[in-house]
Amino acid sequence: MSVKHTTEKALQMLRTLPRVTIGNIRDNPQSKQNVKRGRGQHGGDKHGAGNKGSGQRQNYMRLGYETGNTPFYMRFSYEPYYKGHHLKREYPPVSLHQLQKLIDTDRLDHRAPIDLTTICNTGLFEVRPDLLHHGVQLTDEGADDFKAKINIEVQHAPESVIAAIERNGGVIRTAYYDPHSLYAVVNPKKWFEKGVPIPRRMLPPQDAVAYYTDARNRGYLADPEQISEQRLVLAQKYGYTLPKIEDDPDYAMLTESKDPRQIFYGLNPGWVISLKDRAIIREKQ
């Protein structure tokens, strides 16, 4: 009887209640609790006076500015050392100050010719042909303190650097390396482990021929007689006495140079270096 009584009571209630619509739907009593909102950093992400979060205090820099009032393109120095073909080739800088420090710390042997391979073997400089690096440029930072007598080959050097080296009785040349040869020059060990022949250095492209055939740049394709004349002209311009290389006891080291097709001192193109057997495989004569 109680179930029947409950059913009848429910039916009677439905007859008297209004039809269910969106307008008369309500939540159950005490189904929601009003949380008191904090202030300051405890105020959530709501806006309002006394309720600012850290996001509302964020200061965003203007476009092109990293910090302060100096735009990013003015925070870096400009180096026009290789102006002319810099859009196609890049030359990471190596200063005379760094070069002198490498010699003083015995990372470079000044009694032997210095080239791109010996500079990369110090482990302090990285030349990446995949980033259009074509060698290094020698900058004049520390030119007044440079005292070493060296025989060096780089890819680009200004007039002041040439004067600083020749003033001490040294010799400098600027030489070009094609991208294929650069992979062997910057990491000879990796190249020799492949067991492939030493590549032959290609001639410079058309837009770089003028630079490497100019005696004023000490280009490796320039006339040696014109280089001797320009050495004297540069000494007169900078006001120093040009040392005589012929009378120097290190004459053999200072005059040692590579063939225009050669990339390593003492190793010819086409030879295969076997590190495992410690042997040089040469072509038949």
Side-chain angles (χ1 to χ4, degrees), residues 124-173:
L124 301 177
F125 302 97
E126 184 181 20
V127 177
R128 297 185 55 182
D130 57 321
L131 297 181
L132 297 182
H133 293 177
H134 279 68
V136 295
Q137 55 167 317
L138 201 56
T139 64
D140 56 1
E141 181 184 357
D144 296 335
D145 300 328
F146 188 76
K147 304 300 180 183
K149 181 178 62 176
I150 58 175
N151 177 7
I152 188 171
E153 177 191 87
V154 293
Q155 283 58 64
H156 218 282
E159 185 181 75
S160 57
V161 169
I162 298 175
I165 292 178
E166 294 181 350
R167 179 184 59 201
N168 298 330
V171 176
I172 181 173
R173 279 178 298 274

CSV table of all heavy atoms in Angstrom, one decimal, residues 124-173:
chain,number,residue,atom,x,y,z
A,124,LEU,N,89.8,25.6,-31.4
A,124,LEU,CA,89.2,26.8,-30.9
A,124,LEU,C,88.4,27.6,-32.0
A,124,LEU,O,87.7,28.5,-31.7
A,124,LEU,CB,90.3,27.7,-30.3
A,124,LEU,CG,91.1,27.2,-29.2
A,124,LEU,CD1,92.2,28.2,-28.8
A,124,LEU,CD2,90.2,26.8,-28.0
A,125,PHE,N,88.5,27.1,-33.2
A,125,PHE,CA,87.8,27.8,-34.3
A,125,PHE,C,87.1,26.7,-35.2
A,125,PHE,O,87.7,25.7,-35.4
A,125,PHE,CB,88.8,28.6,-35.2
A,125,PHE,CG,89.6,29.6,-34.4
A,125,PHE,CD1,90.9,29.4,-33.9
A,125,PHE,CD2,89.1,30.9,-34.1
A,125,PHE,CE1,91.6,30.3,-33.2
A,125,PHE,CE2,89.8,31.8,-33.4
A,125,PHE,CZ,91.0,31.5,-33.0
A,126,GLU,N,86.0,27.1,-35.6
A,126,GLU,CA,85.2,26.2,-36.4
A,126,GLU,C,84.8,26.8,-37.8
A,126,GLU,O,84.3,27.9,-37.8
A,126,GLU,CB,83.9,25.8,-35.7
A,126,GLU,CG,83.0,24.8,-36.4
A,126,GLU,CD,81.7,24.5,-35.7
A,126,GLU,OE1,81.3,25.3,-34.8
A,126,GLU,OE2,81.1,23.4,-35.9
A,127,VAL,N,85.2,26.1,-38.8
A,127,VAL,CA,84.8,26.5,-40.2
A,127,VAL,C,83.9,25.5,-40.7
A,127,VAL,O,84.2,24.3,-40.8
A,127,VAL,CB,86.1,26.6,-41.0
A,127,VAL,CG1,85.7,27.0,-42.5
A,127,VAL,CG2,87.1,27.7,-40.5
A,128,ARG,N,82.7,25.9,-41.1
A,128,ARG,CA,81.7,25.0,-41.6
A,128,ARG,C,81.3,25.4,-43.0
A,128,ARG,O,80.7,26.4,-43.3
A,128,ARG,CB,80.4,25.1,-40.7
A,128,ARG,CG,80.6,24.7,-39.3
A,128,ARG,CD,79.4,24.7,-38.5
A,128,ARG,NE,78.3,23.9,-39.1
A,128,ARG,CZ,77.1,23.8,-38.6
A,128,ARG,NH1,76.7,24.4,-37.5
A,128,ARG,NH2,76.2,23.0,-39.3
A,129,PRO,N,81.7,24.5,-44.0
A,129,PRO,CA,81.4,24.8,-45.4
A,129,PRO,C,79.9,24.8,-45.7
A,129,PRO,O,79.4,25.4,-46.6
A,129,PRO,CB,82.1,23.7,-46.1
A,129,PRO,CG,83.2,23.2,-45.2
A,129,PRO,CD,82.7,23.4,-43.8
A,130,ASP,N,79.1,24.0,-44.8
A,130,ASP,CA,77.7,24.0,-45.1
A,130,ASP,C,77.0,25.3,-44.7
A,130,ASP,O,75.9,25.5,-45.2
A,130,ASP,CB,77.0,22.9,-44.2
A,130,ASP,CG,77.3,23.0,-42.7
A,130,ASP,OD1,78.4,23.4,-42.4
A,130,ASP,OD2,76.4,22.7,-41.9
A,131,LEU,N,77.7,26.2,-44.0
A,131,LEU,CA,77.2,27.5,-43.7
A,131,LEU,C,77.8,28.6,-44.6
A,131,LEU,O,77.9,29.8,-44.2
A,131,LEU,CB,77.4,27.8,-42.2
A,131,LEU,CG,76.7,27.0,-41.2
A,131,LEU,CD1,76.9,27.4,-39.8
A,131,LEU,CD2,75.1,26.9,-41.5
A,132,LEU,N,78.4,28.2,-45.7
A,132,LEU,CA,79.0,29.1,-46.7
A,132,LEU,C,80.3,29.6,-46.1
A,132,LEU,O,80.8,30.7,-46.6
A,132,LEU,CB,78.1,30.2,-47.1
A,132,LEU,CG,76.8,29.8,-47.9
A,132,LEU,CD1,76.0,31.0,-48.3
A,132,LEU,CD2,77.2,29.0,-49.1
A,133,HIS,N,80.9,29.0,-45.1
A,133,HIS,CA,82.3,29.4,-44.7
A,133,HIS,C,83.3,28.9,-45.7
A,133,HIS,O,83.3,27.8,-46.1
A,133,HIS,CB,82.6,28.8,-43.3
A,133,HIS,CG,81.7,29.3,-42.2
A,133,HIS,ND1,81.8,28.8,-40.9
A,133,HIS,CD2,80.8,30.3,-42.2
A,133,HIS,CE1,80.9,29.5,-40.2
A,133,HIS,NE2,80.3,30.4,-40.9
A,134,HIS,N,84.2,29.8,-46.1
A,134,HIS,CA,85.2,29.5,-47.1
A,134,HIS,C,86.6,29.7,-46.5
A,134,HIS,O,87.5,29.9,-47.3
A,134,HIS,CB,85.0,30.3,-48.4
A,134,HIS,CG,84.0,29.8,-49.3
A,134,HIS,ND1,82.6,29.8,-49.0
A,134,HIS,CD2,84.1,29.2,-50.5
A,134,HIS,CE1,81.9,29.2,-50.0
A,134,HIS,NE2,82.8,28.9,-50.9
A,135,GLY,N,86.7,29.7,-45.2
A,135,GLY,CA,88.0,29.9,-44.6
A,135,GLY,C,87.9,30.9,-43.5
A,135,GLY,O,86.9,31.1,-42.9
A,136,VAL,N,89.1,31.6,-43.2
A,136,VAL,CA,89.1,32.6,-42.1
A,136,VAL,C,89.7,33.9,-42.7
A,136,VAL,O,90.4,33.9,-43.7
A,136,VAL,CB,90.0,32.1,-41.0
A,136,VAL,CG1,89.3,30.9,-40.3
A,136,VAL,CG2,91.4,31.8,-41.4
A,137,GLN,N,89.3,35.0,-42.0
A,137,GLN,CA,89.9,36.3,-42.3
A,137,GLN,C,90.7,36.7,-41.1
A,137,GLN,O,90.3,36.5,-39.9
A,137,GLN,CB,88.8,37.3,-42.6
A,137,GLN,CG,87.8,37.4,-41.5
A,137,GLN,CD,86.9,38.6,-41.6
A,137,GLN,OE1,87.4,39.7,-41.9
A,137,GLN,NE2,85.6,38.5,-41.4
A,138,LEU,N,91.9,37.2,-41.3
A,138,LEU,CA,92.8,37.7,-40.3
A,138,LEU,C,92.6,39.1,-40.0
A,138,LEU,O,92.8,40.0,-40.9
A,138,LEU,CB,94.2,37.4,-40.7
A,138,LEU,CG,95.3,37.3,-39.6
A,138,LEU,CD1,94.9,36.3,-38.5
A,138,LEU,CD2,96.6,37.0,-40.1
A,139,THR,N,92.1,39.5,-38.8
A,139,THR,CA,91.8,40.9,-38.5
A,139,THR,C,93.0,41.5,-37.8
A,139,THR,O,93.9,40.9,-37.3
A,139,THR,CB,90.5,41.0,-37.6
A,139,THR,OG1,90.8,40.3,-36.4
A,139,THR,CG2,89.4,40.2,-38.3
A,140,ASP,N,92.9,42.9,-37.7
A,140,ASP,CA,94.1,43.6,-37.2
A,140,ASP,C,94.0,43.9,-35.7
A,140,ASP,O,94.7,44.8,-35.2
A,140,ASP,CB,94.2,44.9,-38.0
A,140,ASP,CG,93.0,45.8,-38.0
A,140,ASP,OD1,92.0,45.3,-37.4
A,140,ASP,OD2,93.0,46.8,-38.6
A,141,GLU,N,93.1,43.3,-35.0
A,141,GLU,CA,93.0,43.5,-33.6
A,141,GLU,C,94.3,42.9,-32.9
A,141,GLU,O,94.6,41.7,-33.0
A,141,GLU,CB,91.8,42.8,-33.0
A,141,GLU,CG,91.6,43.0,-31.5
A,141,GLU,CD,90.4,42.2,-31.0
A,141,GLU,OE1,89.7,41.6,-31.8
A,141,GLU,OE2,90.2,42.2,-29.7
A,142,GLY,N,95.0,43.7,-32.2
A,142,GLY,CA,96.3,43.3,-31.6
A,142,GLY,C,97.5,43.4,-32.5
A,142,GLY,O,98.5,42.8,-32.3
A,143,ALA,N,97.3,44.2,-33.6
A,143,ALA,CA,98.4,44.4,-34.5
A,143,ALA,C,99.7,45.0,-33.9
A,143,ALA,O,100.8,44.6,-34.3
A,143,ALA,CB,98.0,45.2,-35.8
A,144,ASP,N,99.5,45.9,-33.0
A,144,ASP,CA,100.6,46.6,-32.4
A,144,ASP,C,101.4,45.7,-31.5
A,144,ASP,O,102.6,45.9,-31.2
A,144,ASP,CB,100.2,47.8,-31.6
A,144,ASP,CG,99.5,48.9,-32.5
A,144,ASP,OD1,99.9,48.9,-33.7
A,144,ASP,OD2,98.7,49.7,-32.0
A,145,ASP,N,100.8,44.7,-30.9
A,145,ASP,CA,101.4,43.7,-30.0
A,145,ASP,C,101.9,42.4,-30.7
A,145,ASP,O,102.4,41.5,-30.0
A,145,ASP,CB,100.5,43.4,-28.8
A,145,ASP,CG,100.1,44.7,-28.1
A,145,ASP,OD1,100.9,45.6,-28.0
A,145,ASP,OD2,99.0,44.7,-27.5
A,146,PHE,N,101.7,42.3,-31.9
A,146,PHE,CA,102.0,41.1,-32.6
A,146,PHE,C,103.5,41.0,-32.9
A,146,PHE,O,104.1,41.9,-33.5
A,146,PHE,CB,101.2,40.9,-33.9
A,146,PHE,CG,101.4,39.6,-34.6
A,146,PHE,CD1,100.7,38.5,-34.1
A,146,PHE,CD2,102.2,39.4,-35.7
A,146,PHE,CE1,100.9,37.3,-34.7
A,146,PHE,CE2,102.3,38.2,-36.3
A,146,PHE,CZ,101.7,37.1,-35.8
A,147,LYS,N,104.2,40.0,-32.4
A,147,LYS,CA,105.7,39.9,-32.5
A,147,LYS,C,106.2,38.7,-33.2
A,147,LYS,O,107.4,38.5,-33.3
A,147,LYS,CB,106.3,40.0,-31.1
A,147,LYS,CG,105.9,41.3,-30.3
A,147,LYS,CD,106.3,42.6,-31.0
A,147,LYS,CE,105.9,43.8,-30.2
A,147,LYS,NZ,106.2,45.0,-30.9
A,148,ALA,N,105.3,37.8,-33.6
A,148,ALA,CA,105.8,36.5,-34.1
A,148,ALA,C,106.2,36.6,-35.5
A,148,ALA,O,105.7,37.4,-36.3
A,148,ALA,CB,104.7,35.5,-33.9
A,149,LYS,N,107.2,35.8,-35.9
A,149,LYS,CA,107.6,35.7,-37.3
A,149,LYS,C,107.1,34.4,-37.8
A,149,LYS,O,107.5,33.3,-37.4
A,149,LYS,CB,109.2,35.7,-37.4
A,149,LYS,CG,109.7,35.6,-38.8
A,149,LYS,CD,111.2,35.7,-38.8
A,149,LYS,CE,111.9,34.5,-38.0
A,149,LYS,NZ,113.3,34.6,-38.1
A,150,ILE,N,106.1,34.5,-38.7
A,150,ILE,CA,105.4,33.3,-39.2
A,150,ILE,C,105.3,33.3,-40.7
A,150,ILE,O,105.5,34.3,-41.4
A,150,ILE,CB,104.0,33.3,-38.5
A,150,ILE,CG1,103.2,34.5,-38.9
A,150,ILE,CG2,104.0,33.1,-37.0
A,150,ILE,CD1,101.8,34.5,-38.5
A,151,ASN,N,104.9,32.1,-41.2
A,151,ASN,CA,104.6,31.9,-42.6
A,151,ASN,C,103.1,31.4,-42.5
A,151,ASN,O,102.9,30.2,-42.2
A,151,ASN,CB,105.5,30.9,-43.2
A,151,ASN,CG,105.1,30.5,-44.7
A,151,ASN,OD1,104.2,31.2,-45.2
A,151,ASN,ND2,105.8,29.6,-45.2
A,152,ILE,N,102.2,32.2,-42.9
A,152,ILE,CA,100.8,31.9,-42.7
A,152,ILE,C,100.0,32.1,-44.0
A,152,ILE,O,100.3,32.9,-44.9
A,152,ILE,CB,100.1,32.8,-41.6
A,152,ILE,CG1,98.7,32.4,-41.3
A,152,ILE,CG2,100.2,34.3,-42.0
A,152,ILE,CD1,98.1,33.0,-40.1
A,153,GLU,N,99.0,31.2,-44.2
A,153,GLU,CA,98.1,31.3,-45.3
A,153,GLU,C,96.7,31.4,-44.8
A,153,GLU,O,96.2,30.5,-44.1
A,153,GLU,CB,98.3,30.0,-46.2
A,153,GLU,CG,97.3,30.0,-47.4
A,153,GLU,CD,97.3,28.6,-48.0
A,153,GLU,OE1,96.5,27.7,-47.6
A,153,GLU,OE2,98.1,28.4,-49.0
A,154,VAL,N,96.0,32.5,-45.2
A,154,VAL,CA,94.6,32.7,-44.8
A,154,VAL,C,93.8,33.0,-46.1
A,154,VAL,O,94.4,33.0,-47.2
A,154,VAL,CB,94.4,33.8,-43.8
A,154,VAL,CG1,95.1,33.4,-42.5
A,154,VAL,CG2,95.0,35.1,-44.3
A,155,GLN,N,92.5,33.2,-45.9
A,155,GLN,CA,91.7,33.4,-47.1
A,155,GLN,C,91.4,34.9,-47.3
A,155,GLN,O,91.0,35.3,-48.4
A,155,GLN,CB,90.3,32.6,-46.9
A,155,GLN,CG,90.4,31.2,-47.1
A,155,GLN,CD,91.5,30.5,-46.3
A,155,GLN,OE1,91.3,30.4,-45.0
A,155,GLN,NE2,92.5,29.9,-46.8
A,156,HIS,N,91.5,35.7,-46.3
A,156,HIS,CA,91.3,37.1,-46.5
A,156,HIS,C,92.1,37.9,-45.4
A,156,HIS,O,92.2,37.4,-44.2
A,156,HIS,CB,89.8,37.5,-46.4
A,156,HIS,CG,89.4,38.5,-47.3
A,156,HIS,ND1,89.6,39.9,-47.1
A,156,HIS,CD2,88.8,38.5,-48.5
A,156,HIS,CE1,89.1,40.6,-48.1
A,156,HIS,NE2,88.6,39.8,-49.0
A,157,ALA,N,92.7,39.0,-45.8
A,157,ALA,CA,93.5,39.8,-44.8
A,157,ALA,C,93.5,41.2,-45.3
A,157,ALA,O,93.8,41.5,-46.5
A,157,ALA,CB,94.9,39.2,-44.6
A,158,PRO,N,93.3,42.2,-44.4
A,158,PRO,CA,93.4,43.6,-44.8
A,158,PRO,C,94.9,44.1,-44.9
A,158,PRO,O,95.8,43.3,-44.5
A,158,PRO,CB,92.7,44.4,-43.7
A,158,PRO,CG,92.8,43.5,-42.5
A,158,PRO,CD,92.8,42.1,-43.1
A,159,GLU,N,95.1,45.3,-45.3
A,159,GLU,CA,96.4,45.8,-45.5
A,159,GLU,C,97.2,45.9,-44.2
A,159,GLU,O,98.4,45.6,-44.1
A,159,GLU,CB,96.4,47.2,-46.2
A,159,GLU,CG,97.7,47.8,-46.6
A,159,GLU,CD,97.5,49.1,-47.2
A,159,GLU,OE1,97.2,50.1,-46.5
A,159,GLU,OE2,97.6,49.2,-48.5
A,160,SER,N,96.5,46.3,-43.1
A,160,SER,CA,97.2,46.5,-41.9
A,160,SER,C,97.7,45.2,-41.3
A,160,SER,O,98.7,45.1,-40.6
A,160,SER,CB,96.2,47.2,-40.9
A,160,SER,OG,95.0,46.4,-40.7
A,161,VAL,N,97.0,44.1,-41.5
A,161,VAL,CA,97.4,42.8,-41.1
A,161,VAL,C,98.7,42.3,-41.9
A,161,VAL,O,99.6,41.8,-41.3
A,161,VAL,CB,96.3,41.7,-41.2
A,161,VAL,CG1,96.8,40.3,-41.0
A,161,VAL,CG2,95.2,42.0,-40.3
A,162,ILE,N,98.7,42.6,-43.2
A,162,ILE,CA,99.8,42.2,-44.0
A,162,ILE,C,101.0,43.0,-43.5
A,162,ILE,O,102.2,42.4,-43.4
A,162,ILE,CB,99.5,42.5,-45.5
A,162,ILE,CG1,98.3,41.6,-45.9
A,162,ILE,CG2,100.7,42.2,-46.3
A,162,ILE,CD1,97.9,41.9,-47.4
A,163,ALA,N,100.9,44.3,-43.2
A,163,ALA,CA,102.0,45.1,-42.7
A,163,ALA,C,102.5,44.6,-41.4
A,163,ALA,O,103.7,44.5,-41.1
A,163,ALA,CB,101.6,46.5,-42.6
A,164,ALA,N,101.6,44.2,-40.5
A,164,ALA,CA,102.0,43.7,-39.1
A,164,ALA,C,102.8,42.4,-39.2
A,164,ALA,O,103.8,42.2,-38.4
A,164,ALA,CB,100.8,43.5,-38.3
A,165,ILE,N,102.5,41.5,-40.2
A,165,ILE,CA,103.2,40.3,-40.3
A,165,ILE,C,104.6,40.5,-41.0
A,165,ILE,O,105.6,39.9,-40.6
A,165,ILE,CB,102.4,39.2,-41.0
A,165,ILE,CG1,101.2,38.9,-40.2
A,165,ILE,CG2,103.2,38.0,-41.4
A,165,ILE,CD1,100.2,37.9,-40.8
A,166,GLU,N,104.6,41.2,-42.1
A,166,GLU,CA,105.8,41.4,-42.8
A,166,GLU,C,106.8,42.3,-42.0
A,166,GLU,O,108.0,42.3,-42.3
A,166,GLU,CB,105.5,42.0,-44.2
A,166,GLU,CG,104.7,41.1,-45.1
A,166,GLU,CD,104.4,41.7,-46.4
A,166,GLU,OE1,104.6,42.9,-46.6
A,166,GLU,OE2,103.9,40.9,-47.3
A,167,ARG,N,106.3,43.2,-41.1
A,167,ARG,CA,107.2,44.0,-40.3
A,167,ARG,C,108.1,43.1,-39.4
A,167,ARG,O,109.2,43.5,-39.1
A,167,ARG,CB,106.3,44.9,-39.5
A,167,ARG,CG,107.1,45.9,-38.5
A,167,ARG,CD,106.1,46.6,-37.7
A,167,ARG,NE,105.3,45.7,-36.9
A,167,ARG,CZ,104.1,46.1,-36.4
A,167,ARG,NH1,103.6,47.3,-36.6
A,167,ARG,NH2,103.4,45.2,-35.7
A,168,ASN,N,107.6,42.0,-39.0
A,168,ASN,CA,108.3,41.1,-38.2
A,168,ASN,C,109.2,40.1,-39.0
A,168,ASN,O,109.7,39.1,-38.4
A,168,ASN,CB,107.4,40.3,-37.2
A,168,ASN,CG,106.6,41.2,-36.3
A,168,ASN,OD1,107.1,42.3,-35.9
A,168,ASN,ND2,105.4,40.8,-36.0
A,169,GLY,N,109.2,40.2,-40.3
A,169,GLY,CA,110.0,39.3,-41.1
A,169,GLY,C,109.2,38.1,-41.5
A,169,GLY,O,109.8,37.1,-42.0
A,170,GLY,N,107.9,38.1,-41.4
A,170,GLY,CA,107.0,37.0,-41.8
A,170,GLY,C,106.5,37.1,-43.2
A,170,GLY,O,106.7,38.0,-43.9
A,171,VAL,N,105.8,36.0,-43.6
A,171,VAL,CA,105.2,35.9,-44.9
A,171,VAL,C,103.7,35.6,-44.8
A,171,VAL,O,103.4,34.7,-44.0
A,171,VAL,CB,105.9,34.9,-45.8
A,171,VAL,CG1,105.3,34.7,-47.1
A,171,VAL,CG2,107.4,35.3,-46.0
A,172,ILE,N,102.9,36.2,-45.6
A,172,ILE,CA,101.5,35.9,-45.6
A,172,ILE,C,101.0,35.8,-47.0
A,172,ILE,O,101.5,36.4,-47.9
A,172,ILE,CB,100.7,37.1,-44.8
A,172,ILE,CG1,99.2,36.7,-44.8
A,172,ILE,CG2,100.9,38.4,-45.5
A,172,ILE,CD1,98.4,37.7,-44.0
A,173,ARG,N,100.1,34.8,-47.2
A,173,ARG,CA,99.4,34.6,-48.5
A,173,ARG,C,97.9,34.5,-48.3
A,173,ARG,O,97.5,34.0,-47.2
A,173,ARG,CB,100.0,33.3,-49.2
A,173,ARG,CG,101.3,33.5,-49.9
A,173,ARG,CD,101.7,32.2,-50.5
A,173,ARG,NE,102.0,31.2,-49.4
A,173,ARG,CZ,103.1,31.1,-48.7
A,173,ARG,NH1,104.1,31.9,-49.0
A,173,ARG,NH2,103.3,30.2,-47.8
